[in-house]
Structure formats: C-alpha cells, structure tokens
Amino acid sequence: LTANTTYHFRISATNAGGESKGSDQTFKTPGPPTVVTGAASSITQTTATLNATVNPNGGAVSECKFEYGTSIAYGSSASCSSLPGSGTSPVAVSAAITGLTANTTYHFRISATNPSGTSKGSDATFTTLPNPPTVVTGAASSITQTTATLNATVNPNGGAVSECKFEYGTSIAYGSSASCSSLPGSGTSPVAVSAAITGLTANTTYHFRISATN
C-alpha cells in the first residue's frame, strides 16, 4: 500500500445462489507529516519569525523545527513554538529566531516528525534589514553672507538610501532642511554628500546636521 493514502474495501462472496457484496468501508494508511514552508515575517536586522504549516496526517508530531542558515546547508535550527498535534489538517507553526546578521540572506525550511517518519519542506529565503546609514556631519564650506555649502559623509551600510538631507537653523531645533545634491547609493563605504543653502542671514551662527534613511 501507499503511505498516507485512503483505501476503500468491501467483502464479496459467491455460492450457487449468486454473489453478494458488502457495504463500502475505508481506512487510511499512516504517513509522515505533510509540510509546507511559508514566508518569513517580522524581519529586522537581527531577528525574524519563520512560518510554515504541518499536517500531522493522524500521527502525533514528536519534533517540529525550522532549519536555517546562510546556505542550503542550513546549520542552525529552532523548535516550533508549539507542536501541531496529531490531526489530519494543516496547522500553522512558527519560530522566532535571533542573533542574525544585518543585510544577509538566510535560507530556511520546516522539518516535522511523526511515528511514520520525517518530512522536510522546500527551501525558502529572506534577507535581514540593513543597519541604518552611518553618518558623519562635516564642516560647512563656501560660506558667504547668505549662502553656504553643508557637507557630510554617509555610509549606506548596504541598504539603498531613500532620503538624504541636511537639517539646519539658528538653534538645535533646526527648522529647515535641504536635500543632498545626490543620494549616496547602497554601498558599504562612506560617500561624500553636500547641499548648497541660500537665504541665510549675515553674521549669524547656524547649526546643521546630516540625516539619512535606508
């Protein structure tokens, strides 16, 4: 017979008077769990939640875990937060993992065991978020009575910088901003950025700082 399969059967008997057939009955052979790797969620720089479904196929699941790592060799595992029981329908399972590296692609799959054996899900991937940009406010240059160029460096830390601006004003409340003349990209090294500002007041001290978002 085939594992995890429903079979129908009936009795049939024949004598001189003819043939009789019994009513239909069924039974299901046991099989290992049916598993489906889901998508990761709640992804940060160092943590993620791994998701899947497990159908115990009528056999009590004794082990449920996610295998994960930076390649399909995996290398690490995390137990499901709860066992999916012994029913015959898919049950959602998950595991929260920590200690991940920012801006890194991870592979994972579900693995579940019942008395009939172990099943492993297909491979899935997720990428942790990059660290926020590393920014260093530089010195202003080309200063006149009403204009100045603000300078800084921005390291995108591997995440595309979507906003780069200088905040400035006559106090640390700032109040004004000017976009960087160009975005620093998505590399992993410091990139020089600047913004030319106008409309300043002569003989006035201004405060400024760089702000970047990935």
Side-chain angles (χ1 to χ4, degrees):
L1 304 180
T2 302
N4 195 33
T5 302
T6 299
Y7 287 87
H8 296 257
F9 71 98
R10 65 183 179 184
I11 184 65
S12 175
T14 304
N15 66 12
E19 181 184 32
S20 296
K21 294 182 184 291
S23 60
D24 179 71
Q25 295 290 332
T26 62
F27 68 92
K28 185 176 182 179
T29 54
T34 300
V35 296
V36 179
T37 307
S41 59
S42 303
I43 301 167
T44 71
Q45 287 90 347
T46 59
T47 65
T49 298
L50 309 182
N51 301 289
T53 61
V54 176
N55 184 335
N57 288 323
V61 173
S62 57
E63 183 181 58
C64 177
K65 65 182 180 180
F66 290 88
E67 300 171 337
Y68 68 95
T70 55
S71 73
I72 56 173
Y74 304 106
S76 298
S77 66
S79 297
C80 300
S81 58
S82 62
L83 292 174
S86 57
T88 56
S89 299
V91 176
V93 295
S94 64
I97 58 174
T98 61
L100 306 179
T101 302
N103 200 36
T104 302
T105 297
Y106 285 86
H107 294 257
F108 71 100
R109 66 181 178 184
I110 182 65
S111 174
T113 302
N114 72 6
S116 295
T118 298
S119 296
K120 295 181 184 292
S122 58
D123 181 70
T125 62
F126 67 92
T127 301
T128 51
L129 297 180
N131 286 318
T134 300
V135 296
V136 178
T137 307
S141 60
S142 303
I143 303 167
T144 72
Q145 289 89 344
T146 59
T147 65
T149 297
L150 309 182
N151 301 288
T153 61
V154 176
N155 184 335
N157 286 326
V161 173
S162 56
E163 182 179 52
C164 177
K165 65 182 179 180
F166 289 87
E167 299 172 339
Y168 67 95
T170 55
S171 73
I172 57 173
Y174 304 105
S176 298
S177 67
S179 295
C180 299
S181 58
S182 61
L183 291 175
S186 57
T188 56
S189 300
V191 176
V193 295
S194 63
I197 58 174
T198 61
L200 306 180
T201 303
N203 197 35
T204 301
T205 298
Y206 285 85
H207 294 257
F208 71 98
R209 66 181 178 185
I210 183 65
S211 172
T213 301
N214 67 7

